[in-house]
Structure formats: C-alpha cells, structure tokens
Amino acid sequence: MPDTLEWQNNTFLKEVERRSGTPVSACFQCHKCSTGCPIGPDMDLLSSQVMRMIHLGEELQVLESQDIWLCASCEACTTRCPMQIDIAVVMDSLRMMAVERKVELPNARGEQFNRSFLQSVSRNGRVFELGMMVAYKLRSRDFFTDAEKTGQMLAKGKLSLLPKKSGSARAVADVFRRAEEEEKKR
Amino acid sequence: MKYAFFPGCSLESTGWDFDRSTRAVCRALGIDLVDIPDWVCCGSTPAHTTNASLSVALPVMNLQKAKEMGLPVLTACASCYARLRTANHTVLNDPEERGRAERVTGKPYDGRVEVRHLLDVLVNDLGVDAVREKVRRPLKGMKVACYYGCLLTRPPDIVAFDNAEHPSCMDRLLTAIGAEPVEWPYKTECCGASLSITRSEIVNRLSHRLLSMARQAGADCLAVACPLCESNLDLRQADAVKAHGAIPETPVLYVTQFLGLALGLSSGDVGLEALTVSAESLLAGIGRDQ
Ligand code: SF4
Ligand code: SF4
Ligand code: SF4
C-alpha cells in the first residue's frame, strides 16, 4: 500500500519521535488533548492537529506555527492522552527543532524570553529577574506591557536591584557550555 | 524531620513571602530545613523548551549537592518540584540521558535522592492531625478555593503525591486549620504560567476565568503553592478585571500564609505585606495578630 510507504518515508515524524522519545504515530485523533488545553482558544493549530500534521510530514507548517510557542507546558494533555503520548514534550522538541533550523518564528517572544532567562542563569547561577526583564524587553522591543508592574514589584520587595549570585555560578557556566555541546551531538 | 531545602529563584524574589512563610511554618511544626549550599536555578520552563541536556543537568547539580548532605530534598515551589522530580525520573529510566547528565555536570548521579514537596510532607508524613493540634487561631468561616495549578500534580507518573485531576491535600490542610475549602471545578486548570510575560492577554483571560469561578463557588479567597500562580492571580488581578469584567477583589495567599496565621504567627511573620490584593478583609474575621 502506498500509504504505508509514505508513512515510513516520513522523516519528520521519525525525528520528532526520536527526539521526544514518545510515540506520536500512536495518536488516533481523539482530540482529548485539545479539549483540555487551556490555550486552545488562542491556537490556530490545536495539539491534536499538530500531531496529525506531524503524521502528514508537514514540517514547515508545524515548525513555523505560533502554537508551539503558546503551549504553557501545563501537562494536561500529557496526563490525559489515552495513548500515553507525552504531547508537552513533543511541543518542547518542536521548539528546539524550529530554533535549530532557523525557521521564520511567527511570534518570537517565547524564544526571546527563553534566551533572556537562560542568559541570566548562565551568568549568575540563578535568575536575576530585573536583569532578565531588561534583556527581554530589549530583544522583544515590547517596552510598554507591564511597565507599571516593575515599580509595584520593587515597592513590594519582589525585585532586587542586584543579582543574588550562586556560589556555583562558575560551575553553571561550564554546565551551559557542555550542555550545548551535548545537544549538537543529538 | 530534616530536609535539604531547595528555595528556588522565585522564592528569593517575586515569592519572598512564600519563602518566609514556608520557613516560619516549618519551624513552628518542627520540620528542620537546611538550605542546599550554593543551590542553582532548576532551569524551569526556558531550559526544558530550549535544551534537553541542560534541563536535566541543572536540577541534577542541586541533587548532587543534596546527596553530599545526606538528606532528602524539600521544595515549596511547584515548578521547581516538577523539574527536580523529572530530572530524577529521566536519570533513573534512561541510561543515555544519565550519561549525558553526568558528562555535563562532571559528576556521577544515580537519580536516587528523594525529592518531596512541602505539602506532601505536611499531609503524608506529619499528618493533618499533628497540624490541627498546633492551631492557635482557627480560620473560622474562611471560604477558600484551593488552587493547585498545573505542576503540583502533573504528570502523575512523575510528581504524584495526590490525585492528578481532583487533588485534595490543600483542602485537607485548610479544613484542619478551621477554614472551609469550597468545591470548585478549576483546581488543576492552568493559569498560563510564564506566558504572563510574553502573552499577558492570555493570562488575563485564564486568571479571570479562575477568579470568577472561585467566586461563583462561594470562595472569598484562594490558596496557591506556586509563585507563578500567585503573581498571575494577585499581581495581575486588576488587569484581568480590566480586560474581562468586574469581580470583587479576591486575596490570593500561599497555603503557607494561611497555615502560619492559624498557627498564631503574625501577618508580618508570613509576609502578607507582599500581596497586591490586601488580605485585611480576611484578617478581620479571625482576630488581629496576637
Ligand atoms: S489525546 Fe493523544 S491520542 Fe488523543 S488526539 Fe491527543 S495526542 Fe492523539
Ligand atoms: S501542555 Fe501545552 S498543549 Fe498541552 S494542554 Fe498544556 S498548554 Fe496545551
Ligand atoms: S522554577 Fe522558578 S523558582 Fe524554581 S529555580 Fe527555577 S526559576 Fe527559580
């Protein structure tokens, strides 16, 4: 049957399954994952539709969708999938693949936030929230959202002006370097 | 009862009141917390959505330190808890990933340092009866919606110490200290977590849904166990109301703040001044600080 052959030639499906370590091909489209997804109303492609697109080998359409960046990693889908597919981890793998392949990111804020956060951790061993927010604002050029919150948070002692560095910050910087090398080998 | 305490970044900044109240409640209940020296960030969502090796290695660095201390780990932040447990699960079940984590951290690790959430220890080790015995100011008549959010109970094969769809540990604790937890359907619905920074309009919608459902169910306030839930429901409450319609001001407290008040601690001892929506209306009902 040609259908079976198509299926076997689907390198995108195979790669997603290998990287996420979860059987995406077992999805039988019950849509239970999408029904419970809190972000569903904001998504163009629901999580079950993302699974189907992967079956169909629609690599670009999936990797360029904003939906993989909207997922909040709440694990509701993973918890409820009758086929034990770890959908939240699939979303993680898709984000990493999108960045690696340098596809056009539709709304890059999620990625800009991740980079700002991790840069802060690699420098201090911990998140320095104020520094991280400034870095994120510069990257996203989204200067107005929540500008007034910063003042409120400073007043409540929720943001400190200086980083609280971990004594292991150096070791963390090494861990970042080695983790990046490991990822290249995947 | 002695634990290696992992505070996590949020408890050092936006959630300092969670840190203060956790330590105060543990002291009052005879739980000994020793900070993991030079702990480092668990990597949180940015690590697991960016670099799989990093998302295991960062928690493992902390677990290796705890191993040297010879103590099980206790954490209060639901997100840190999920990351530490997930790292253990990965190292235990996937030899390839274990090898990676050991290469990246430069040290061996077998995945066997026990990681507990504060609520798990309170309910399952200490027990609600022991908590009840220490109550000095019962939270009489306080109607609370216990909000567990996403990561305290999910995914159940990794973090589970309570039912994934219908958890009850916070409800049992609050009942023991005299409060009246309400039944409501959104105990484990997600608040949008860190989308608050990148897509705040989504978090406004989700927070509004949670707050209005809690109110409809008869609650006057919410109990949470995660710094992200707290800020999405408390700090952002005014935005949610502005975008989606009026709800009476609803205080959102950490479960440890409720516990501390009931154990006779003052509002300063549990850091109530950090809240955006004041808890004054609740204090009026149970008597002032002693
Ligand atoms: S819940 Fe599982 S099987 Fe059902 S549509 Fe989602 S991924 Fe597919
Ligand atoms: S983990 Fe992501 S896709 Fe799954 S239910 Fe939560 S937000 Fe939706
Ligand atoms: S999950 Fe949050 S609070 Fe915990 S260490 Fe990581 S960034 Fe810090």
Side-chain angles (χ1 to χ4, degrees):
Chain A
M1 281 197 304
D3 283 347
T4 324
L5 280 179
E6 293 269 327
W7 186 272
Q8 283 170 349
N9 286 335
N10 186 345
T11 51
F12 182 49
L13 169 66
K14 283 197 188 133
E15 186 180 351
V16 174
E17 289 199 326
R18 183 177 56 76
R19 295 189 63 138
S20 62
T22 196
V24 177
S25 48
C27 168
F28 57 13
Q29 292 291 293
C30 70
H31 305 300
K32 201 174 172 191
C33 51
S34 301
T35 327
C37 176
I39 319 294
D42 304 281
M43 287 180 165
D44 304 322
L45 282 179
L46 299 169
S47 50
S48 52
Q49 292 173 312
V50 170
M51 299 305 124
R52 188 66 189 138
M53 294 300 219
I54 300 173
H55 292 171
L56 296 171
E58 297 287 356
E59 180 168 339
L60 265 191
Q61 206 174 330
V62 170
L63 295 186
E64 284 181 354
S65 78
Q66 64 158 349
D67 310 305
I68 58 180
W69 297 97
L70 287 185
C71 161
S73 305
C74 78
E75 309 266 359
C77 49
T78 297
T79 302
R80 294 172 189 163
C81 174
M83 299 308 284
Q84 269 102 46
I85 301 170
D86 193 338
I87 300 136
V89 165
V90 172
M91 294 293 185
D92 286 350
S93 303
L94 294 171
R95 281 182 268 219
M96 290 178 214
M97 288 164 74
V99 172
E100 274 167 29
R101 280 170 209 188
K102 301 198 170 58
V103 304
E104 201 73 42
L105 299 181
N107 174 340
R109 285 191 195 167
E111 193 271 338
Q112 288 156 346
F113 169 70
N114 285 350
R115 255 196 296 155
S116 312
F117 183 103
L118 292 175
Q119 189 181 53
S120 180
V121 177
S122 73
R123 281 190 191 145
N124 306 301
R126 294 177 193 170
V127 181
F128 169 40
E129 318 252 352
L130 197 59
M132 187 259 292
M133 284 313 292
V134 170
Y136 167 70
K137 295 271 168 205
L138 288 173
R139 285 200 172 99
S140 62
R141 316 210 67 75
D142 166 26
F143 296 112
F144 300 108
T145 314
D146 290 343
E148 84 293 349
K149 296 253 171 2
T150 313
Q152 258 174 320
M153 290 170 81
L154 281 167
K156 296 265 182 199
K158 286 173 173 284
L159 292 175
S160 64
L161 294 170
L162 293 172
K164 293 181 180 149
K165 238 180 153 121
S166 161
S168 297
R170 268 245 181 86
V172 170
D174 289 337
V175 160
F176 267 77
R177 194 173 35 74
R178 288 196 290 262
E180 268 154 38
E181 285 161 17
E182 286 292 335
E183 283 309 290
K184 284 191 197 122
K185 290 188 262 169
R186 262 183 216 267
Chain B
M1 293 172 116
K2 195 169 177 179
Y3 293 92
F5 185 49
F6 181 79
C9 306
S10 299
L11 267 71
E12 240 185 16
S13 54
T14 53
W16 67 263
D17 45 335
F18 196 15
D19 187 79
R20 182 181 288 182
S21 53
T22 295
R23 291 176 195 273
V25 164
C26 284
R27 209 173 302 126
L29 295 173
I31 299 171
D32 202 359
L33 300 181
V34 189
D35 282 26
I36 298 179
D38 295 332
W39 59 268
V40 304
C41 174
C42 69
S44 191
T45 307
H48 76 74
T49 54
T50 305
N51 179 320
S53 309
L54 189 66
S55 75
V56 183
L58 288 172
V60 163
M61 284 179 80
N62 296 299
L63 296 167
Q64 287 163 335
K65 289 173 196 282
K67 185 160 192 183
E68 281 170 30
M69 298 165 79
L71 293 172
V73 172
L74 184 140
T75 183
C77 167
S79 171
C80 300
Y81 173 68
R83 294 324 305 162
L84 294 170
R85 296 279 296 195
T86 303
N88 264 346
H89 187 264
T90 307
V91 169
L92 264 178
N93 295 296
D94 188 335
E96 216 178 294
E97 290 298 335
R98 174 176 173 176
R100 251 185 218 118
E102 293 184 333
R103 283 198 297 281
V104 171
T105 58
K107 276 191 210 159
Y109 182 61
D110 60 6
R112 291 192 191 277
V113 171
E114 205 188 345
V115 176
R116 307 286 304 275
H117 189 270
L118 172 70
L119 286 169
D120 180 17
V121 168
L122 291 182
V123 171
N124 297 318
D125 289 7
L126 194 68
V128 289
D129 293 332
V131 176
R132 188 182 294 114
E133 276 166 24
K134 296 249 166 75
V135 171
R136 295 182 36 203
R137 175 164 57 166
L139 307 187
K140 256 200 221 87
M142 213 183 270
K143 298 215 164 37
V144 191
C146 293
Y147 176 54
Y148 297 77
C150 54
L151 293 177
L152 208 53
T153 60
R154 293 200 291 260
D157 52 333
I158 296 180
V159 302
F161 59 87
D162 203 341
N163 185 296
E165 301 287 0
H166 196 68
S168 64
C169 60
M170 271 201 256
D171 296 76
R172 279 181 281 152
L173 274 171
L174 283 166
T175 307
I177 61 176
E180 292 171 34
V182 301
E183 272 306 325
W184 71 308
Y186 288 173
K187 280 181 172 183
T188 62
E189 289 289 305
C190 177
C191 68
S194 57
L195 287 181
S196 53
I197 293 166
T198 52
R199 298 292 298 263
S200 50
E201 76 282 6
I202 296 182
V203 167
N204 287 343
R205 174 175 67 77
L206 295 172
S207 298
H208 191 271
R209 225 164 71 103
L210 288 163
L211 291 163
S212 52
M213 182 55 85
R215 279 293 184 179
Q216 273 182 55
D220 300 321
C221 54
L222 280 88
V224 298
C226 167
L228 268 176
C229 301
E230 212 285 333
S231 76
N232 285 348
L233 293 167
D234 179 39
L235 184 67
R236 292 180 183 278
Q237 192 171 122
D239 290 5
V241 165
K242 205 151 122 210
H244 297 281
I247 307 173
E249 281 208 330
T250 307
V252 181
L253 277 69
Y254 290 108
V255 62
T256 44
Q257 292 178 313
F258 287 108
L259 285 169
L261 291 172
L263 294 171
L265 300 171
S266 73
S267 40
D269 291 337
V270 295
L272 287 191
E273 67 269 32
L275 302 180
T276 304
V277 176
S278 159
E280 273 301 308
S281 56
L282 303 177
L283 291 177
I286 59 166
R288 300 272 116 202
D289 290 344
Q290 290 152 352

